Amino acid sequence: MFEAAEIKRLIEQGMACEFVEVQGDDGVHFTGIVVSAEFEGKPKVRQHQAVYATLGRFMGNEIHALQLQTYTPTKWAEVRTDLGF
């Protein structure tokens, strides 16, 4: 079983992030929020691909699913309170 903390560590190691939160309690299905300036000007699909790239071979294998919410720092400043952060 994979740990949410390990996914968070891999994302933070693989890209510059202002904020990363990963949750999941069954070891294969996870949800996450990632905030990075690297997302500026990129469509959501490219933002998600950038995060998945940090997880490499684990995606689709040890990590069966990762539902992502990705934000630029500017957008995160707008929505974080509404999301409880």
Side-chain angles (χ1 to χ4, degrees), residues 14-62:
M15 64 187 306
C17 301
E18 277 82 54
F19 178 83
V20 179
E21 175 78 26
V22 179
Q23 297 179 354
D25 57 7
D26 70 357
V28 293
H29 299 93
F30 301 90
T31 60
I33 298 173
V34 180
V35 179
S36 177
E38 292 182 28
F39 299 150
E40 293 287 348
K42 293 182 181 176
K44 285 288 184 187
V45 69
R46 296 285 184 230
Q47 294 174 15
H48 290 201
Q49 288 171 339
V51 175
Y52 295 148
T54 67
L55 303 172
R57 67 172 180 80
F58 297 116
M59 276 307 303
N61 293 304
E62 288 88 344

Side-chain angles (χ1 to χ4, degrees), residues 2-4 8 10 16 18 20 24 31 52-53 59 73 75 77 79 81 84:
F2 221 74
E3 297 286 330
K8 181 180 190 268
L10 289 168
E18 277 82 54
V20 179
T31 60
Y52 295 148
M59 276 307 303
K75 187 64 177 175
V79 303
T81 302

Side-chain angles (χ1 to χ4, degrees), residues 62-82:
E62 288 88 344
I63 303 168
H64 180 71
L66 174 59
Q67 180 183 356
L68 285 173
Q69 295 179 50
T70 53
Y71 301 97
T72 62
T74 302
K75 187 64 177 175
W76 179 243
E78 295 173 14
V79 303
R80 67 186 282 174
T81 302
D82 294 337

